[in-house]
Amino acid sequence: MSRPTTGGWYLFLRSFSSSIHSQLPNSTPEANDLFNKVRVLSTGGNIKEALSLFYSTPQLNQSQQTYATLFHACARHGNLKQGQYLHQHMISENPKKPQDLFVTNHLINMFAKCGDLDSARQVFDEMDRRNVVSWTALISGYAQQGRSYECFSLFTDMLVNCSPNEFAFASVITSCDYVCGKQVHALALKTGLLASVYVGNALITRYSKSCEDNFVGDGSEACRVFESMEFRNLVSWNSMIAAFQHWKLGGRAIGIFCQMHGGGVEFDGATLVSVLSSLSESYGGDNADMGLKGCFQLHCVSIKRGFMLKIELATALVKAYSDLGWQVSDCYRLFMETSSRDLVSWTGIITAFADREPESAVFLFRQLYREGLVPDWCTFSIVLKACAGLVTERHALAIYSQVVKAGFEDDRVLANTLIHAYARCGSISFSKQVFDKMRSRDVVSWNSMIKAYALHGQAKEALHLFSEMNVRPDSTTMVALLSACSHAGLVKEGIHIFDSMSMNHGVSPQLDHYACMVDILGRAGLLLEAEELISRMPMKPDSVVWSALLNSCRKHGETQLAKLAADKLKELEPGNSLGYVQISNIYCSGGSYNEAGLIRKEMNGSRVRKEPGLSWIEIENRVHEFASGGRRHPQREAIFAKLYSLIGQLKGVGYVPETSLALQDIEEEHKQEQLYHHSEKLALVFALMNEGSLCCGGAVIRIMKNIRICVDCHNFMKLASDLLHKEIVVRDSNRFHHFKNRMCSCNDYW
């Protein structure tokens, strides 16, 4: 959120120092010309040239106005080193001359604005006489450096010596905590300075931060200050819009912007950046189209006003479009149209691709290097997150080497992200190596490793790690533990964790915890207990809870309860195909093809599309995608030939197609054909056709799948791992399956 005090204080200081921009008193025309040259050079940022001229002109060395001019320029451009040299020069040239209040105030301001507050305080303490500018300069410096205690203490001392002005009030309000801010607010009201726009802006910022940090307040105080302001400037509007955006009240932020725009108030790029962030937060999901419409309108306004030249606005537009579901290719086109691209904009476009097209995110990361830019902590974090969506750990390993080279090896956040990335790529051993090497771990570190174990079905390891946890667990920890118990069928352990988490760890069960418990009970066949738990929930069950129950009903063939869960799911998420597909599959498994057909007809009538089953495999740095049936693959005929050869061999060692899983009332032969062409089988065969190009010398075949692996493919992979003498790792939508020697890491419990 912008700090409104700075601009106001500079306006005050500039008006105070306006006299230094005139001619020198009692001086020759030549001296005035030299002074004006120094003033023009320093004002334009050419401080070294200005000082060189000053030092070489003895007649200027006695001019207090010249010193003030140069100190002011050093403060504006943050040039502490030159300011220190100038201060030493002033002392040596005028050792016995008494301090000039005008120059000393500029000296305090220079030290304060350049961050050398100890020197500023020393000069302040040595002053024989001070005025309101002296106090305000140091108070402003403390505020801008975040030294709230010194700021408030000095402001308290100021009250004894002189009356604070609006800039002193604004500085201390933005710096101090909520309670002190309330006291200063009351004093401003008493002294009549509450009408100042700078004080009002500072109060908005103060109360906004209190609400944002979740300490005290609900944001209503900031709103009351804003509404009571007789005059508002651009900072007032921007502060209020940014406040609503930080509070996740995007709709109200957009409402303030509409009020601002409708009232003819001019806005800037910072306004639009906050409004764009509010759009993406307020109009996700089913309302994304409305959000995109607003995004288009703001995009047009940005072009019309010439704001698209601002890199921060273009970056915000890319993020908003991406968050609202715009095609990533369109986001990339907008990114490429930006005239100058900095590290922030590159990180923004990598973020847009990270979840939906992780391969492209990694490609863009490489392109960033080619542009001569150096990734920072945030960029590495995003690209490692993208690596979690890839099939193998190869890219994560390569990027980690860059992390080490950049000096971020000991960064805890990046280590946490790396644990997650390795686990999602199937390398739990690499995750453990990173975890074990960490010098310090926070709750995210422990959660990431526990979740990694859960994802790979290693529940005992997850529970053991939890017993060694030396930081206080949080809600996410409990979700990870319950998920681990669910994947491994540890019902008693899961119930114990759920029942004791509130008393032992201070974590109250939320929707995610209930969803995990429903899954634990349902997978174990305790469907009535799962239904009873849902009925006792203190909050309304969401779609995750009902989908957990529905999946369990399908596993155990419970049609009646499945229909209830499917209806609830369709009610909560009418555009989600899961409810339709699962209940239809349950009917088909029970031979009720007519009922299944009616469900499919209802689904088509509601214009709900089923998510196609897809699998991916990486061959020679290229990811290959397979859909069920494999009709679009250019090597379809060769793949099918190899597939049927493999099926023949597997049948010889006991493979029997699970034709009960067929979703249509067709001949047995056709049912088998449907099962043979599942996407993960095609991906496996393609890997065998390109065995020499696989990672790890082809000893491990890694396949990624977007939906849950079916029973037939699960049996197929177990037998294939033994026949081919390879480890086959399949990552489905729920977990990892490590197939080896006719066994799966899930122990057939998934």
Side-chain angles (χ1 to χ4, degrees):
M1 204 169 297
S2 60
R3 191 186 293 266
T5 59
T6 306
W9 167 245
Y10 268 121
L11 287 174
F12 171 68
L13 191 63
R14 286 180 63 185
S15 66
F16 162 74
S17 59
S18 60
S19 60
I20 66 177
H21 295 161
S22 60
Q23 64 182 12
L24 297 175
N26 304 318
S27 59
T28 64
E30 181 185 0
N32 280 326
D33 288 342
L34 290 169
F35 169 74
N36 283 323
K37 285 182 179 179
V38 169
R39 179 178 60 81
V40 170
L41 285 169
S42 63
T43 303
N46 300 308
I47 298 175
K48 288 185 178 180
E49 292 87 339
L51 286 168
S52 178
L53 178 59
F54 170 75
Y55 292 141
S56 63
T57 310
Q59 62 203 94
L60 291 178
N61 285 198
Q62 304 301 315
S63 166
Q64 300 298 316
Q65 285 184 305
T66 311
Y67 280 111
T69 298
L70 291 168
F71 282 135
H72 184 61
C74 290
R76 285 184 59 200
H77 297 284
N79 200 324
L80 176 62
K81 191 174 183 180
Q82 295 295 346
Q84 290 171 329
Y85 288 154
L86 182 63
H87 182 210
Q88 293 168 4
H89 179 81
M90 184 178 74
I91 294 172
S92 64
E93 288 291 317
N94 306 277
K96 296 182 180 180
K97 193 169 183 178
Q99 288 182 330
D100 182 272
L101 180 62
F102 180 67
V103 175
T104 308
N105 285 343
H106 275 284
L107 179 60
I108 292 171
N109 179 67
M110 184 276 294
F111 280 130
K113 291 295 183 290
C114 293
D116 188 358
L117 291 171
D118 291 339
S119 296
R121 185 61 189 251
Q122 183 179 349
V123 173
F124 178 85
D125 289 340
E126 292 173 354
M127 292 177 75
D128 297 326
R129 184 169 61 92
R130 307 182 186 100
N131 63 7
V132 67
V133 178
S134 317
W135 291 91
T136 306
L138 189 54
I139 287 171
S140 176
Y142 280 135
Q144 291 177 9
Q145 295 298 318
R147 292 169 65 167
S148 57
Y149 176 80
E150 292 98 325
C151 181
F152 188 75
S153 178
L154 189 64
F155 180 80
T156 305
D157 293 340
M158 182 183 184
L159 296 175
V160 180
N161 292 273
C162 65
S163 298
N165 59 18
E166 57 187 330
F167 305 106
F169 269 101
S171 293
V172 74
I173 287 169
T174 53
S175 171
C176 64
D177 61 20
Y178 175 80
V179 175
C180 293
K182 292 284 284 185
Q183 294 174 357
V184 180
H185 184 178
L187 182 61
L189 180 63
K190 184 178 179 180
T191 56
L193 284 174
L194 198 58
S196 165
V197 67
Y198 300 114
V199 175
N201 291 344
L203 285 168
I204 291 172
T205 302
R206 171 64 270 151
Y207 291 136
S208 300
K209 285 197 296 185
S210 297
C211 180
E212 175 192 339
D213 296 339
N214 210 20
F215 294 141
V216 283
D218 57 1
S220 60
E221 291 167 302
C223 296
R224 281 198 297 270
V225 171
F226 179 79
E227 293 297 335
S228 67
M229 292 175 71
E230 295 180 12
F231 171 74
R232 306 180 187 119
N233 62 10
L234 179 60
V235 175
S236 316
W237 292 93
N238 282 355
S239 296
M240 203 65 240
I241 290 171
F244 280 126
Q245 188 257 318
H246 278 290
W247 300 335
K248 309 299 181 186
L249 298 173
R252 295 194 66 180
I254 295 164
I256 289 284
F257 175 72
C258 293
Q259 181 185 344
M260 178 185 185
H261 191 42
V265 181
E266 286 295 320
F267 52 86
D268 63 3
T271 318
L272 294 176
V273 167
S274 291
V275 176
L276 283 166
S277 298
S278 300
L279 273 174
S280 58
E281 290 168 0
S282 303
Y283 293 100
D286 295 336
N287 297 319
D289 288 344
M290 189 181 299
L292 281 172
K293 184 178 179 181
C295 221
F296 288 135
Q297 292 172 339
L298 290 176
H299 192 171
C300 293
V301 170
S302 302
I303 295 172
K304 186 177 179 180
R305 297 291 183 92
F307 290 141
M308 285 305 293
L309 296 175
K310 296 180 178 292
I311 186 65
E312 62 271 17
L313 182 57
T315 303
L317 265 171
V318 168
K319 182 180 186 305
Y321 275 132
S322 173
D323 290 345
L324 292 166
W326 212 33
Q327 292 293 327
V328 286
S329 56
D330 293 328
C331 293
Y332 181 70
R333 188 173 65 249
L334 175 60
F335 167 76
M336 292 302 294
E337 289 172 357
T338 308
S339 55
S340 61
R341 296 182 287 273
D342 61 5
L343 182 61
V344 176
S345 61
W346 275 97
T347 304
I349 192 64
I350 291 171
T351 303
F353 277 88
D355 286 329
R356 289 189 277 173
E357 293 186 19
E359 301 91 350
S360 299
V362 174
F363 171 80
L364 287 169
F365 178 76
R366 295 197 193 102
Q367 189 66 27
L368 179 152
Y369 269 108
R370 296 189 190 102
E371 294 284 328
L373 296 171
V374 179
D376 63 4
W377 168 89
C378 184
T379 314
F380 279 121
S381 176
I382 295 299
V383 76
L384 283 173
K385 179 185 174 185
C387 290
L390 299 175
V391 181
T392 72
E393 75 280 4
R394 185 172 57 85
H395 294 289
L397 286 166
I399 290 168
Y400 179 60
S401 69
Q402 297 295 329
V403 169
V404 174
K405 188 177 179 181
F408 294 118
E409 183 178 10
D410 293 328
D411 185 272
R412 188 165 57 196
V413 175
L414 291 181
N416 294 341
T417 308
L418 195 61
I419 291 170
H420 173 72
Y422 282 146
R424 296 289 294 177
C425 292
S427 297
I428 188 75
S429 58
F430 284 166
S431 293
K432 190 174 186 306
Q433 284 179 25
V434 174
F435 181 81
D436 290 342
K437 287 180 181 179
M438 292 179 72
R439 295 181 181 178
S440 66
R441 307 181 184 109
D442 59 9
V443 67
V444 179
S445 314
W446 292 91
N447 290 349
S448 298
M449 197 63 227
I450 291 171
K451 283 192 285 187
Y453 281 132
L455 191 64
H456 288 264
Q458 298 182 22
K460 291 182 179 179
E461 288 82 352
L463 293 171
H464 177 71
L465 187 64
F466 175 66
S467 69
E468 297 181 341
M469 194 170 177
N470 57 9
V471 297
R472 183 172 180 173
D474 61 9
S475 176
T476 304
T477 316
M478 297 301 135
V479 171
L481 288 170
L482 292 171
S483 178
C485 293
S486 173
H487 289 314
L490 303 180
V491 180
K492 289 183 179 179
E493 291 85 345
I495 292 173
H496 173 72
I497 291 168
F498 183 80
D499 289 343
S500 63
M501 57 190 268
S502 181
M503 181 177 295
N504 293 351
H505 306 292
V507 179
S508 299
Q510 301 300 318
L511 280 168
D512 286 347
H513 305 104
Y514 278 100
C516 287
M517 273 310 301
V518 169
D519 197 44
I520 288 173
L521 296 171
R523 283 174 187 262
L526 303 173
L527 295 172
L528 293 179
E529 288 83 348
E531 183 184 16
E532 183 186 352
L533 178 64
I534 293 174
S535 68
R536 290 190 283 108
M537 286 176 62
M539 71 284 289
K540 184 179 179 181
D542 65 357
S543 58
V544 181
V545 172
W546 289 115
S547 63
L549 181 62
L550 183 57
N551 286 329
S552 298
C553 289
R554 184 192 177 188
K555 179 179 180 180
H556 297 285
E558 175 53 57
T559 306
Q560 197 63 35
L561 190 54
K563 189 176 185 308
L564 169 66
D567 289 342
K568 293 289 186 180
L569 194 55
K570 287 185 284 184
E571 180 184 322
L572 290 169
E573 294 185 354
N576 190 343
S577 65
L578 182 63
Y580 297 96
V581 172
Q582 290 285 54
I583 191 65
S584 173
N585 291 346
I586 291 171
Y587 281 136
C588 287
S589 297
S592 303
Y593 294 105
N594 291 335
E595 288 83 350
L598 292 173
I599 295 295
R600 297 277 178 170
K601 187 175 181 180
E602 179 189 351
M603 180 177 170
N604 293 333
S606 301
R607 297 184 178 180
V608 176
R609 296 184 62 184
K610 177 183 179 295
E611 182 182 12
L614 301 174
S615 292
W616 297 268
I617 193 161
E618 185 176 320
I619 306 289
E620 286 189 332
N621 302 331
R622 182 183 172 190
V623 176
H624 296 261
E625 181 181 281
F626 295 88
S628 185
R631 297 179 183 85
R632 292 177 293 178
H633 200 281
Q635 300 183 48
R636 180 176 183 271
E637 297 301 325
I639 292 171
F640 276 24
K642 180 73 173 177
L643 172 65
Y644 283 108
S645 172
L646 178 60
I647 290 171
Q649 296 177 63
L650 291 177
K651 283 185 174 180
V653 293
Y655 170 61
V656 178
E658 291 280 350
T659 54
S660 63
L661 300 174
L663 304 181
Q664 294 176 342
D665 186 15
I666 54 178
E667 295 296 327
E668 187 74 14
E669 182 181 345
H670 292 152
K671 289 180 181 180
Q672 292 186 19
E673 289 286 331
Q674 280 188 348
L675 297 173
Y676 294 161
H677 297 166
H678 281 188
S679 61
E680 54 265 59
K681 292 188 179 81
L682 302 178
L684 172 64
V685 168
F686 190 72
L688 296 174
M689 292 168 59
N690 297 272
E691 190 171 354
S693 302
L694 294 172
C695 66
C696 307
V700 180
I701 298 175
R702 301 183 188 277
I703 300 169
M704 188 166 69
K705 185 174 174 60
N706 66 332
I707 59 177
R708 180 179 176 273
I709 189 172
C710 73
V711 174
D712 183 74
C713 288
H714 195 268
N715 293 338
F716 186 94
M717 296 295 173
K718 285 198 299 183
L719 293 170
S721 68
D722 185 55
L723 178 70
L724 302 169
H725 304 293
K726 295 182 184 296
E727 181 179 0
I728 303 171
V729 180
V730 177
R731 167 181 154 191
D732 70 8
S733 59
N734 290 331
R735 59 169 297 158
F736 274 89
H737 299 265
H738 295 258
F739 299 98
K740 194 172 184 180
N741 299 327
R742 290 198 177 203
M743 300 289 290
C744 178
S745 58
C746 73
N747 293 318
D748 297 340
Y749 191 90
W750 85 102

